Amino acid sequence: FLQRLSPLERTHGHLFLFVGLRGSAEELKLPSNNLWVLPGEDLAKCMEEFQADPTAPFGYVGLAFPSAKDPSYSARHPNRCT
């Protein structure tokens, strides 16, 4: 496994936060598509600026709502969503 990883370049880490909400995806009007929020129009430039200065605006934020994508989620977890 390590031999397969060694040729790969290191990249920056990512943080994922999973939040449970009360209410269905429909009630909360959560989209089934992912949302990408950038402080500018050029992702590469936004990331470069953030990496050069950690006090700069965030590089990007991605929001996803898995329960809105899963048609059986509300049956299994009523009045809850992620």
Side-chain angles (χ1 to χ4, degrees):
F1 179 75
L2 292 176
Q3 291 174 337
R4 294 177 69 191
L5 288 179
S6 62
L8 300 176
E9 288 185 39
R10 290 184 181 205
T11 63
H12 301 279
H14 292 79
L15 173 69
F16 291 90
L17 174 65
F18 295 91
V19 177
L21 303 170
R22 288 190 180 111
S24 69
E26 294 81 20
E27 291 171 338
L28 299 175
K29 297 183 176 150
L30 300 179
S32 60
N33 59 299
N34 296 339
L35 302 174
W36 300 98
V37 182
L38 306 168
E41 294 184 10
D42 183 344
L43 175 59
K45 182 180 177 200
C46 293
M47 291 303 295
E48 282 178 25
E49 290 172 358
F50 179 70
Q51 291 163 6
D53 178 9
T55 65
F58 56 86
Y60 75 94
V61 173
L63 301 172
F65 305 97
S67 60
K69 298 174 185 185
D70 181 352
S72 68
Y73 189 90
S74 61
R76 292 179 286 123
H77 307 281
N79 199 36
R80 298 275 189 255
C81 64
T82 58

